[in-house]
Amino acid sequence: MSTEFMTLSDCVIMMVDRYVEDLDGDAPHNLHAQIIEQVERALLDHTMKKCAGQRSTAAQWLGINRNTLRKKLQNYGLDT
């Protein structure tokens, strides 16, 4: 039995298509910034939860510096 694997790129394309369809003919605006912001916020939030709030561990998982993580968490209001 084969399991179909969906890549992150596939997921993004599927969701962008759905978003554009939901606009019902209106043109999307600032699409790149919206996607980057929403994906990054969700990724940071989810990673922090999976790492039980441990910033050092989350930074390692994300492959970023702990100070960079701190700044990003502050930027998205996730630093509580």
Side-chain angles (χ1 to χ4, degrees), residues 8 12 31-49 58 62-65 67-79:
L8 287 173
V12 170
L31 189 57
H32 180 266
Q34 285 186 52
I35 290 171
I36 297 302
E37 181 179 328
Q38 290 182 24
V39 168
E40 185 173 52
R41 186 183 198 291
L43 176 63
L44 294 170
D45 186 44
H46 186 71
T47 302
M48 288 301 295
K49 288 175 182 170
L62 294 165
I64 61 176
N65 181 285
N67 288 328
T68 301
L69 175 60
R70 180 182 54 79
K71 289 176 189 175
K72 288 179 178 290
L73 292 173
Q74 287 175 341
N75 183 52
Y76 291 112
L78 300 171
D79 58 340

